[in-house]
């Protein structure tokens, strides 16, 4: 496939371009820039959960690539809007409403599980810190295996909390670190009280999580230091 020869733009074409390993990142970015209006107007198709997951896997975010990531975010918002059946402009309010609902109820009943998972993926890529921590709390609260969920989200390359803070734009400040740990500690305690984990597991995983969060913060600081050095050195 040669980007310069593409004349008809549809969902399959966009997907093939973005997932191609033969097309450079620069060419993909230029493709999105040149066809942004057409891509925005692709509203007829419906995205299945499998389609959405496949698209997210093929659209990794890059450290120190804010321009490229901004185009990825733009495309992700379009994809999420199609999946939710709303206008792209409605996505921020849609996520805000879901976020607010999570804070007030234990279980969301107005969203199918696959749709909620798609919103979570978007938030873990592009959301703000309040949205991230709210989704983390909800995810742990409703997890069938809180330990497995914690291991996954606090390890890199899983699309979870660790990956959110690997980008310089998302800084893991002390207030957020404390909030994340409090969420983890609260949900581990609830799992222990409900008989899902033992007191020994509670203590062991709580200690592991605290160490892991500090590792994530230190890595985040290092990434930002490298970014600053690159900026100063041109």
């Amino acid at each position: 496939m040669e980007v310069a020869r593409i004349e008809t733009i549809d969902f399959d074409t966009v997907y093939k371009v973005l997932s191609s390993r033969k097309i450079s990142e620069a060419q993909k970015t230029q493709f999105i820039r040149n066809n942004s209006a057409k891509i925005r107007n692709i509203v007829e198709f419906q995205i299945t959960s499998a389609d959405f997951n496949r698209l997210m896997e093929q659209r990794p975010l890059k450290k120190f690539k804010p321009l490229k990531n901004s185009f990825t975010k733009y495309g992700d918002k379009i994809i999420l809007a199609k999946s939710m059946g709303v206008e792209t402009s409605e996505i921020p309010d849609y996520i805000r409403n879901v976020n607010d609902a999570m804070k007030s109820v234990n279980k969301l009943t107005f969203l199918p599980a696959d749709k909620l998972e798609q919103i979570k993926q978007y938030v873990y890529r592009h959301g703000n810190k309040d949205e991230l921590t709210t989704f983390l709390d909800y995810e742990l609260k409703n997890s069938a295996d809180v330990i497995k969920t914690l291991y996954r989200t606090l390890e890199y390359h899983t699309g979870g909390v660790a990956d959110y803070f690997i980008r310089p734009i998302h800084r893991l400040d002390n207030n957020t670190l404390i909030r994340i740990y409090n969420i983890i500690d609260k949900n581990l305690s609830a799992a222990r009280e409900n008989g899902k984990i033992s007191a020994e597991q509670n203590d062991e995983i709580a200690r592991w999580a605290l160490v892991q969060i500090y590792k994530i913060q230190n890595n985040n600081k290092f990434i930002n230091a490298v970014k600053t050095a690159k900026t100063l050195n041109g």
Side-chain angles (χ1 to χ4, degrees):
M1 174 185 291
E2 293 185 24
V3 174
R5 295 184 179 180
I6 295 176
E7 296 180 357
T8 302
I9 304 295
D10 56 20
F11 174 72
D12 287 337
T13 302
V14 175
Y15 169 71
K16 288 177 182 178
V17 169
L18 296 180
S19 62
S20 174
R21 296 183 179 179
K22 297 180 180 180
I23 299 174
S24 69
E25 294 296 326
Q27 288 176 309
K28 292 178 182 180
T29 300
Q30 189 64 39
F31 169 78
I32 294 175
R33 183 185 294 116
N34 291 345
N35 298 282
S36 59
K38 293 180 180 178
I39 294 173
R40 187 169 59 250
N41 289 327
I42 300 173
V43 296
E44 292 82 8
F45 69 90
Q46 294 292 323
I47 299 178
T48 66
S49 297
D51 289 335
F52 187 90
N53 292 334
R54 182 180 59 175
L55 284 167
M56 293 301 103
E57 289 174 0
Q58 296 291 343
R59 296 168 61 77
L61 299 167
K62 306 288 186 179
K63 286 186 294 185
F64 312 121
K65 297 290 185 180
L67 180 61
K68 189 269 179 186
N69 289 336
S70 68
F71 280 106
T72 301
K73 179 178 180 179
Y74 176 76
D76 286 354
K77 185 181 290 186
I78 293 174
I79 293 169
L80 181 62
K82 304 299 183 295
S83 179
M84 296 294 112
V86 301
E87 296 294 329
T88 305
S89 61
E90 297 174 337
I91 285 298
D93 286 338
Y94 195 100
I95 291 176
R96 191 177 303 111
N97 290 336
V98 172
N99 191 63
D100 290 342
M102 284 181 169
K103 294 178 179 179
S104 59
V105 298
N106 290 326
K107 189 80 172 179
L108 297 184
T109 58
F110 61 88
L111 267 178
D114 60 332
K115 298 299 183 185
L116 185 60
E117 176 66 19
Q118 291 165 25
I119 297 173
K120 187 199 82 173
Q121 287 187 50
Y122 181 88
V123 166
Y124 274 47
R125 285 160 68 89
H126 307 296
N128 59 43
K129 293 173 186 176
D130 179 66
E131 292 167 347
L132 174 82
T133 51
T134 299
F135 268 79
L136 173 63
D137 188 21
Y138 184 86
E139 184 177 21
L140 293 176
K141 188 187 303 180
N142 291 281
S143 174
D145 189 334
V146 68
I147 294 178
K148 182 178 180 180
T149 300
L150 268 179
Y151 276 136
R152 178 189 56 75
T153 197
L154 294 182
E155 294 287 355
Y156 290 104
H157 312 301
T158 63
V161 169
D163 288 333
Y164 178 88
F165 288 108
I166 204 172
R167 293 168 58 202
I169 195 174
H170 297 149
R171 300 204 175 197
L172 181 48
D173 56 83
N174 290 333
N175 288 337
T176 305
L177 183 150
I178 292 169
R179 184 176 180 185
I180 288 174
Y181 185 73
N182 285 342
I183 287 170
I184 291 171
D185 187 59
K186 177 189 70 174
N187 283 287
L188 283 173
S189 296
R192 185 198 70 232
E193 291 169 3
N194 292 328
K196 294 182 178 180
I197 62 174
S198 66
E200 292 76 14
Q201 287 176 309
N202 185 352
D203 184 62
E204 179 184 354
I205 300 304
R207 290 172 180 270
W208 172 84
L210 184 58
V211 171
Q212 193 69 10
I213 294 170
Y214 270 102
K215 286 182 179 179
I216 292 170
Q217 185 184 55
N218 288 333
N219 190 29
N220 186 249
K221 289 179 179 178
F222 174 74
I223 291 168
N224 277 284
V226 172
K227 179 189 177 185
T228 301
K230 284 187 174 183
T231 301
L232 293 176
N233 294 328

